[in-house]
Amino acid sequence: MAELLRLLLDVSEKAANVARVCRQEAALFELLVQEKKGADKNKKFLKDFKTLADVIIQEMIRHDVCAQFPELNGFIHGEESNTFENGLGESVTVTVCAKEEDTAALLAKVLDGDLTAASLLTKAIHHKLQLRDEKAESLQLSLSSDEVAIWIDPIDGTSQYIEGKEEEEPDEGFCPSGLPCALVLIGVYLRATGQPVMGVINQPFKCKDFMGQGWRGQHFWGVSYGDVNVCSFTQRRPLCLQKRDHLSVMLSSSEKPEVKDVLTTLSNVKLMYASGAGYKILCVIQGLVDVYLLSEGSTFKWDSCAPHALLRALGGGISDLNECLRSSLNGSDGRRPELTYHEPNNKSQGVDKWANRGGIIAYLDSSLCDKTVAALAGKI
Ligand code: 2IP
Ligand code: CA
């Protein structure tokens, strides 16, 4: 299974390259954006964009993982459907082929015959790449690949990716919006229990490179299985944990007013906002905020699986907010039902089958999760 982690790191870096290549040509990028329709649409947005970058990244990850781990065929799920419509209204199923020239021919079809663009993308997709990561290379894990399945969010924060604002990281250590909020998320969970066990997060647009021409990225990973809890970085114990009278809570800017109102009336709570569900959880992972909570079911399994594994590796977790509020009211202390990833919501249709329906609360320190839940219980 350590092999799988190393492969996911490589493929996430390739995914970040594809994301960067797709953004470089503004005209090309605009041509690639297409609106989602019907059951595929995230109801939270008036417009929900699917980009060719999304589809290509997802299919590339699927292709590379299945080439090395054929037993994962049929167990790799993603946010996107791989059918894309080109400018001529033709529907094309995007797949990555074993041979470079076949991928190029297929992409040329999607790109209305634009051979230059197709060849640029094909090069990024078929590029052989190996990240050096000593910690990942020395990892031992006695878990078999036929016990796991994968959730991919090829680009989380698509609207930030499309808009392309070049934000610098301010003093808080996180960007409220902009390209740095766009992330590639690959999460691995146990088929039997749905527990997240491995996660890779790649941030393609961490900062501008030293020439100011392109972007540099960074990646994070975590593994939490049995006695093994390892993360790619050592948690610098967050400042907020030292001064516990203060609680920092991250929210979506579209959070319900009643949630914002209840939290604003608490004197010791600081509210913060940032774009991207994955990015907000990354802020919790990095100790930049204490908790991230979302009261609505507008995140999905592919948004939370990867960062959830990192939080678990660091001793934290992600729970169903409604269930936490219910158990807090019923006085059943310490019950923090963690999200699982293997079962669809059978009463729902389309994309909502995989929604984190009861809302979420992500935390590193469970006592701060409990504190937040207690402040909200019975009031929202
Ligand atoms: C979205 C994206 C949004 C987020 C939403 C996710 O995923 O992360 O930014 O909303 O919940 O589903 P918000 O930023 O308000 O938290 P995607 O970009 O992959 O559609
Ligand atoms: Ca997403």
Side-chain angles (χ1 to χ4, degrees), residues 203-353:
Q203 184 182 24
F205 307 94
K206 156 81 178 145
C207 53
K208 283 305 229 0
D209 63 16
F210 61 97
M211 300 288 283
Q213 303 291 307
W215 285 84
R216 270 204 336 216
Q218 67 176 343
H219 67 270
F220 306 86
W221 60 265
V223 169
S224 176
Y225 179 69
D227 295 336
V228 181
N229 282 292
V230 192
C231 203
S232 58
F233 70 102
T234 324
Q235 179 55 245
R236 39 183 170 99
R237 245 6 208 175
L239 274 178
C240 32
L241 288 189
Q242 286 151 24
K243 30 177 182 135
R244 278 187 187 255
D245 54 323
H246 176 96
L247 185 71
S248 53
V249 180
M250 189 161 254
L251 301 175
S252 163
S253 52
S254 64
E255 182 54 81
K256 280 197 250 144
E258 49 266 49
V259 174
K260 289 184 189 171
D261 290 348
V262 173
L263 291 169
T264 315
T265 55
L266 304 170
S267 57
N268 58 346
V269 172
K270 188 169 180 206
L271 296 186
M272 299 187 180
Y273 299 91
S275 293
Y279 187 69
K280 283 191 271 291
I281 310 175
L282 181 60
C283 290
V284 180
I285 292 170
Q286 292 177 292
L288 300 170
V289 291
D290 294 322
V291 295
Y292 158 42
L293 77 84
L294 177 75
S295 65
E296 284 177 298
S298 52
T299 65
F300 299 86
K301 297 301 171 195
W302 49 81
D303 295 317
S304 54
C305 187
H308 192 172
L310 272 85
L311 276 174
R312 284 178 66 86
L314 293 165
I318 305 183
S319 298
D320 178 299
L321 180 65
N322 278 348
E323 282 191 44
C324 286
L325 291 169
R326 215 172 298 133
S327 30
S328 170
L329 284 177
N330 296 339
S332 40
D333 278 352
R335 232 184 78 71
R336 269 174 247 102
E338 290 231 9
L339 299 185
T340 54
Y341 293 88
H342 60 320
E343 279 165 352
N345 306 314
N346 277 328
K347 288 189 195 127
S348 308
Q349 294 298 312
V351 82
D352 288 332
K353 273 191 177 312

Side-chain angles (χ1 to χ4, degrees), residues 36 42 45 54 79-80 152-158 183 185 276-278 298-304:
K36 279 186 195 171
N42 181 342
F45 303 109
D54 268 310
E79 176 174 15
E80 304 297 342
I152 305 168
D153 189 344
I155 295 180
D156 183 51
T158 320
L183 303 178
L185 306 171
S298 52
T299 65
F300 299 86
K301 297 301 171 195
W302 49 81
D303 295 317
S304 54

Side-chain angles (χ1 to χ4, degrees), residues 141-144 147 190 195-197 223-230:
L141 198 61
S142 56
L143 176 65
S144 158
E147 291 175 72
L190 297 180
Q195 187 186 312
V197 287
V223 169
S224 176
Y225 179 69
D227 295 336
V228 181
N229 282 292
V230 192

Side-chain angles (χ1 to χ4, degrees), residues 87-158:
L88 303 171
E90 297 168 339
S91 179
V92 184
T93 299
V94 177
T95 47
V96 167
C97 310
K99 284 196 200 138
E100 209 166 316
E101 56 267 34
D102 295 342
T103 305
L106 205 135
L107 288 181
K109 209 168 160 196
V110 187
L111 291 161
D112 296 345
D114 186 335
L115 296 178
T116 320
S119 120
L120 256 167
L121 279 174
T122 305
K123 277 206 178 71
I125 293 169
H126 286 271
H127 182 65
K128 295 253 179 306
L129 176 153
Q130 231 177 346
L131 281 187
R132 297 291 317 170
D133 188 315
E134 272 180 38
K135 216 171 184 179
E137 273 153 41
S138 61
L139 188 81
Q140 305 280 336
L141 198 61
S142 56
L143 176 65
S144 158
S145 48
D146 57 14
E147 291 175 72
V148 301
I150 295 180
W151 274 116
I152 305 168
D153 189 344
I155 295 180
D156 183 51
T158 320

Side-chain angles (χ1 to χ4, degrees), residues 56-73:
I56 287 177
I57 289 172
Q58 184 173 298
E59 291 314 305
M60 182 187 72
I61 298 172
R62 203 198 296 277
H63 170 267
D64 286 15
V65 173
C66 287
Q68 201 172 317
F69 295 91
E71 63 279 20
L72 283 170
N73 208 334

